[in-house]
Amino acid sequence: MICLFRIPYFFALIVLGIVIGGCATYQETEAYKLYSGPIRSSTEISILQLYDASKAVIDGMSVSHSDYTEVHLSPGVHNITWTSVHGMSVLVEASGFALKHSEQNPILLKGRIYRLRSARTTGHEYTIYNWIEDLATGEVIAGTAKP
Amino acid sequence: MKIKYHYTLIILVSILLHGCVIVPYKVDPEVKIEYDKELSKHYLVTTGPRKLLTQIEDSITKFTQNIQIIDSIHFRDTAFPDGDWRMVRLFDDQNCQNIATELNARYLVLIGKLDTSTEESGFMGVYIGFYGAFSAKEKSTISATIIDLEKGEKLCNLDSEAQGTAGGVGFFYAVITDPLTESGAIEGLGKAIAKTIAQETLNNDVRIAVLAIEPHYDAQADNVIQAENVIGGTFTINTPNISTPTSAVIDFCEDFNTWSMKEITISNIGPKNGTMLDAKGTWRSGKQDGAIKQCVINIPEGEYLIKYIVEVTHQDLTQRISNHGLVNLRSQHVYQFSNNAADNLTNTQISTWMFEKETNRIVLGCKVRENNTCP
């Protein structure tokens, strides 16, 4: 009888399965209505996707990414304080992560979708960039995008 | 070749076996009810913590079928039609009674923040397996305020607390116990809310709304932001007794052992109302140890881009922290810098912030919380 363990391909398959085995998460869109009154159509409001933000305080109201994926706002100027979290090498940050807090006061236009974006450079002299971009045009409306 | 395959098999089995089992266990919460506790109105009424509110609602309806929950967004829009979500607005002229009539609602339940703290001892290392032993006391607390909308007054406060001990032992393979304090506190609170309302309504059908509250950093509010774990003292930006009423004075005259101001950069971002003067400069240390000790800067009030770097020492950990952002410096106000630190199982997070003394409003940076995050 041929022992299966003597077949290299069998091992390769199992190890490959372990290596690529993982999980993927999918978060449904959950919108936080942050304007008063009846629900308005998406063309009448500004949508802010939390995207890279772990949490945000918008005009004094806290929004956690674990609760909502996007915030629906009246068009106009909004005070947005938000935090992005980046996993780091422990050789760079002992905690294994780095936070970046930003406060921005962008003018949000109606019918537009905006996204809180964050990216970082690597190494000991790393820099974290937090910015807000218009999803349709890619225009940075607040903060500085990673070059 | 045989030997080679045996090694592969051992490694494979090791990978598959290496791990741990986590044994969660329920903890019984302790719930206190208070009727005399004063209701602070310096809060915003919010639907923000969606999942937490859903959990509370579920635990209320699990206990009794006589309570019907009103959609929180619908309640909020009815109660605060102009988008001013301060809790104080609830108690404007007959507002509570009007809401009760319009929504046929009897009670409003306002849920506070769910707090969890951990105190650990022992050590467990992880390196191709788990080695060591640890235990950690975990405590979760959450509170609620029930408002009688028909009477327009507070009924009571409920405080739920669940405590448990997490423990683990490991030698390659680990067994870890996990107390479910958060769900225990939430379930305990939901049950207590349902029980209290059922007693008040003699088990009759009733409609209630469940929303959350969060601190409102209002200039008119009392000291909402408390000084927590402040290390050393505070640096001050002052605006007293100065010749020009529209000038601000930044004064770093203090010297603390545990933290120091290394650098501050203040730049104006352009004319504002035609009064902005050119005020731009970087004040670097001229002192031996590199810290700014005395520095007075005359600048007019207005909006500035402020960047500062401080060095803070907390429990043998020294960190340089930098904050920057737009700050509106108001005339005749005092601005101070402060700091705090939070420790959890894995690390210490130090944070600094700048705040307006008169209002306790944070204008730059943030305070780190027990879960090592800044709000």
Side-chain angles (χ1 to χ4, degrees):
Chain A
M1 194 174 131
I2 301 169
C3 177
L4 278 174
F5 292 123
R6 290 189 177 184
I7 303 171
Y9 293 117
F10 184 78
F11 285 115
L13 206 62
I14 292 174
V15 172
L16 194 67
I18 291 168
V19 170
I20 65 169
C23 63
T25 58
Y26 171 73
Q27 189 176 9
E28 284 182 21
T29 301
E30 291 287 353
Y32 188 15
K33 179 173 168 285
L34 262 187
Y35 58 87
S36 61
I39 292 174
R40 298 181 226 162
S41 73
S42 58
T43 55
E44 294 297 312
I45 58 169
S46 306
I47 296 174
L48 182 70
Q49 296 180 343
L50 293 179
Y51 207 69
D52 289 329
S54 60
K55 58 170 61 181
V57 179
I58 300 168
D59 302 328
M61 304 285 273
S62 302
V63 191
S64 169
H65 201 157
S66 61
D67 281 314
Y68 298 98
T69 52
E70 62 186 39
V71 182
H72 291 182
L73 297 156
S74 292
V77 179
H78 293 277
N79 178 260
I80 303 169
T81 306
W82 60 289
T83 304
S84 62
V85 183
H86 295 264
M88 306 287 289
S89 162
V90 290
L91 300 175
V92 177
E93 286 288 349
S95 63
F97 65 91
L99 304 175
K100 168 83 173 178
H101 311 288
S102 295
E103 182 176 358
Q104 288 145 347
N105 296 282
I107 301 168
L108 305 184
L109 305 175
K110 70 176 179 181
R112 307 297 274 268
I113 300 173
Y114 301 94
R115 194 171 261 189
L116 298 180
R117 294 296 317 274
S118 184
R120 69 176 178 91
T121 56
T122 54
H124 284 278
E125 300 297 320
Y126 70 89
T127 305
I128 300 176
Y129 297 88
N130 282 358
W131 71 96
I132 304 175
E133 73 177 20
D134 185 319
L135 196 60
T137 62
E139 182 196 355
V140 176
I141 62 158
T144 308
K146 183 186 168 189
Chain B
M1 287 299 280
K2 252 185 185 178
I3 294 168
K4 195 178 173 184
Y5 288 135
H6 288 166
Y7 274 125
T8 312
L9 184 62
I10 289 165
I11 291 168
L12 189 63
V13 170
S14 301
I15 290 169
L16 293 174
L17 285 182
H18 144 243
C20 66
V21 61
I22 296 172
V23 184
Y25 70 93
K26 278 192 172 185
V27 286
D28 291 326
E30 187 184 328
V31 183
K32 288 178 188 163
I33 184 164
E34 283 183 85
Y35 288 94
D36 300 327
K37 198 172 177 180
E38 195 182 338
L39 176 65
S40 171
K41 294 174 184 173
H42 302 302
Y43 284 100
L44 292 172
V45 177
T46 166
T47 57
R50 184 176 64 88
K51 289 174 184 167
L52 175 65
L53 292 177
T54 305
Q55 284 175 301
I56 296 279
E57 288 172 4
D58 289 347
S59 56
I60 292 172
T61 50
K62 191 173 148 189
F63 185 75
T64 173
Q65 299 298 312
N66 296 330
I67 294 176
Q68 189 189 342
I69 312 277
I70 299 166
D71 177 67
S72 55
I73 295 275
H74 182 45
F75 181 92
R76 194 195 61 182
D77 287 345
T78 307
F80 308 97
D82 57 358
D84 182 355
W85 295 318
R86 287 177 298 156
M87 191 166 80
V88 70
R89 295 296 309 276
L90 268 180
F91 300 96
D92 285 354
D93 309 325
Q94 296 293 310
N95 198 20
C96 274
Q97 288 84 348
N98 293 340
I99 298 163
T101 307
E102 195 169 337
L103 296 174
N104 188 24
R106 177 73 194 274
Y107 296 105
L108 168 63
V109 180
L110 295 170
I111 308 295
K113 191 169 167 268
L114 174 68
D115 278 317
T116 300
S117 59
T118 311
E119 192 182 312
E120 71 155 7
S121 58
F123 174 77
M124 184 178 283
V126 182
Y127 181 73
I128 319 178
F130 297 83
Y131 303 93
F134 80 98
S135 74
K137 285 179 185 169
E138 191 177 294
K139 183 171 83 173
S140 294
T141 55
I142 187 167
S143 62
T145 300
I146 302 177
I147 291 168
D148 188 328
L149 292 170
E150 285 182 359
K151 291 180 183 169
E153 61 184 33
K154 189 199 75 175
L155 174 67
C156 65
N157 277 93
L158 296 161
D159 295 300
S160 177
E161 181 181 307
Q163 288 192 64
T165 304
V169 286
F171 183 73
F172 186 67
Y173 199 82
V175 179
I176 296 167
T177 58
D178 179 27
L180 302 174
T181 57
E182 289 194 357
S183 59
I186 290 168
E187 274 186 29
L189 186 67
K191 192 175 171 181
I193 292 166
K195 206 173 164 183
T196 306
I197 291 175
Q199 280 172 354
E200 289 291 321
T201 58
L202 304 173
N203 280 322
N204 288 320
D205 288 350
V206 63
R207 278 162 59 87
I208 68 166
V210 181
L211 281 86
I213 47 173
E214 61 182 271
H216 177 218
Y217 303 114
D218 186 353
Q220 303 302 318
D222 294 333
N223 293 341
V224 174
I225 301 169
Q226 305 294 325
E228 299 166 346
N229 310 321
V230 172
I231 306 163
T234 52
F235 296 100
T236 304
I237 294 180
N238 221 332
T239 63
N241 304 321
I242 43 179
S243 55
T244 312
T246 53
S247 291
V249 176
I250 299 179
D251 191 354
F252 301 110
C253 298
E254 303 289 346
D255 181 14
F256 307 113
N257 292 329
T258 49
W259 75 312
S260 55
M261 184 70 73
K262 292 295 179 189
E263 184 180 321
I264 182 161
T265 305
I266 301 174
S267 45
N268 62 324
I269 55 165
K272 189 182 178 187
N273 302 326
T275 58
M276 180 68 77
L277 303 175
D278 182 28
K280 184 177 180 179
T282 299
W283 288 266
R284 292 182 189 279
S285 66
K287 297 287 176 181
Q288 205 171 15
D289 62 358
I292 292 174
K293 291 295 171 61
Q294 292 214 347
C295 181
V296 178
I297 308 161
N298 284 286
I299 53 172
E301 70 170 358
E303 197 170 33
Y304 291 88
L305 179 65
I306 294 183
K307 181 183 177 184
Y308 67 92
I309 301 170
V310 291
E311 194 170 276
V312 186
T313 303
H314 171 68
Q315 292 178 355
D316 301 328
L317 172 71
T318 299
Q319 276 187 9
R320 278 202 173 203
I321 301 169
S322 162
N323 272 332
H324 74 277
L326 287 174
V327 178
N328 190 23
L329 294 181
R330 299 197 291 175
S331 175
Q332 306 291 326
H333 279 76
V334 175
Y335 296 89
Q336 293 188 319
F337 295 83
S338 195
N339 67 78
N340 73 343
D343 302 291
N344 74 1
L345 283 171
T346 53
N347 68 77
T348 296
Q349 182 78 18
I350 297 175
S351 181
T352 77
W353 64 92
M354 176 182 170
F355 67 100
E356 196 174 72
K357 193 181 176 187
E358 291 82 358
T359 59
N360 271 320
R361 186 172 58 93
I362 292 179
V363 293
L364 188 58
C366 64
K367 292 166 95 171
V368 68
R369 304 293 187 197
E370 284 167 353
N371 59 0
N372 280 20
T373 60
C374 280

